[in-house]
Amino acid sequence: MKKSISTIFLILSIIFCVCLILANILESKIVNICGITVTAGLMLFPITYIINDCIVEVWGYKRSRLIIWLGFAVNFAVVALFQVAIALPPDPTWHNQQAFEAIFSITPRIAVGSLIAFLAGSFINAYIMSKMKIASKGKHFSLRAVVSTIAGEGVDSVIFFPIAFWGILPENTIIHLIIAQAIIKTLYEIIILPVTIKVVSYIKKREDSDTYDNGISYNVLKIKEL
């Protein structure tokens, strides 16, 4: 019997992928806000972790594994298509090739760093969220969400910035970016926790689902297992 995918899960998956694509485009810009150096992608990237937490909490690790790989696939496709679009010869009447390249040209280092960091951080986030739910018997959602985010965001930052910017930015700037991004993204999740809790509670009632990942395989490659 075929398993159905709920409308809410589909909507969350779409938002997840869109936020991931936009965040990775914005990630290439370094900004300074109130003396704190971060990337512009900070506006959207934490949303992917919040959605990941919601999906693990309601539908379990298997569904989370599916959207993580889906996010990876669409992000890879977008990066590849950007490079194709840049390589295509511009029409003589169009004079914005340099501006287009400046915005959408992603160096191989940034692309590789982003994709690897996303996979590692997202799977660690989902794994910890799932295991803590089993251990706590479904209690302490706030604690589980924050701890899993600290781990996931930390791993993501530690992987991404050295791969993407080592030798381009000063070492102290890279270290500052790693620490600042991890802290601010975690604070982002803590601030928005009341909303996340209400959304998760609503989805659980609407979907009549509250999955515990007892006895499942956490192998990240078993994508077909739903």
Side-chain angles (χ1 to χ4, degrees):
M1 184 177 71
K2 292 184 178 179
K3 294 185 178 181
S4 61
I5 299 293
S6 74
T7 302
I8 296 177
F9 177 79
L10 181 61
I11 291 171
L12 288 176
S13 300
I14 293 170
I15 296 172
F16 179 89
C17 291
V18 170
C19 286
L20 178 62
I21 291 168
L22 291 175
N24 282 323
I25 294 172
L26 298 175
E27 198 80 352
S28 60
K29 179 173 181 178
I30 308 297
V31 298
N32 189 289
I33 301 174
C34 299
I36 301 174
T37 301
V38 293
T39 60
L42 185 65
M43 295 185 292
L44 291 172
F45 200 74
I47 295 174
T48 64
Y49 278 83
I50 293 170
I51 292 175
N52 198 3
D53 287 344
C54 291
I55 288 175
V56 174
E57 181 69 16
V58 179
W59 292 285
Y61 177 85
K62 292 180 181 179
R63 289 287 178 88
S64 174
R65 179 170 53 201
L66 173 65
I67 70 153
I68 290 170
W69 280 113
L70 177 62
F72 175 87
V74 296
N75 194 48
F76 180 84
V78 167
V79 170
L81 288 171
F82 279 157
Q83 305 317 303
V84 172
I86 290 170
L88 291 173
D91 186 90
T93 62
W94 190 71
H95 306 293
N96 297 313
Q97 177 69 14
Q98 288 186 338
F100 187 86
E101 289 183 18
I103 296 173
F104 295 110
S105 180
I106 301 176
T107 65
R109 287 177 59 177
I110 291 179
V112 170
S114 174
L115 293 171
I116 294 175
F118 163 72
L119 284 179
S122 296
F123 276 119
I124 286 173
N125 178 80
Y127 177 83
I128 292 175
M129 188 75 182
S130 174
K131 284 292 189 180
M132 287 186 69
K133 182 175 183 179
I134 296 171
S136 66
K137 298 180 180 179
K139 299 177 181 179
H140 313 303
F141 171 78
S142 298
L143 177 63
R144 291 186 277 116
V146 171
V147 171
S148 62
T149 295
I150 290 173
E153 297 282 15
V155 169
D156 184 286
S157 296
V158 167
I159 292 174
F160 173 72
F161 288 106
I163 293 177
F165 297 112
W166 194 268
I168 299 174
L169 297 176
E171 293 177 16
N172 61 331
T173 300
I174 292 175
I175 293 171
H176 177 83
L177 281 168
I178 291 172
I179 296 172
Q181 293 267 122
I183 292 175
I184 294 174
K185 287 176 182 178
T186 302
L187 288 175
Y188 189 131
E189 174 141 353
I190 292 173
I191 291 169
I192 206 171
L193 257 177
V195 176
T196 306
I197 291 169
K198 289 183 179 180
V199 170
V200 168
S201 178
Y202 168 78
I203 296 174
K204 282 183 176 180
K205 291 178 182 178
R206 176 73 182 268
E207 297 291 299
D208 190 25
S209 178
D210 188 10
T211 302
Y212 289 79
D213 294 316
N214 293 304
I216 70 161
S217 169
Y218 286 94
N219 185 335
V220 299
L221 299 177
K222 291 189 175 181
I223 306 171
K224 292 184 178 180
E225 283 190 4
L226 292 177

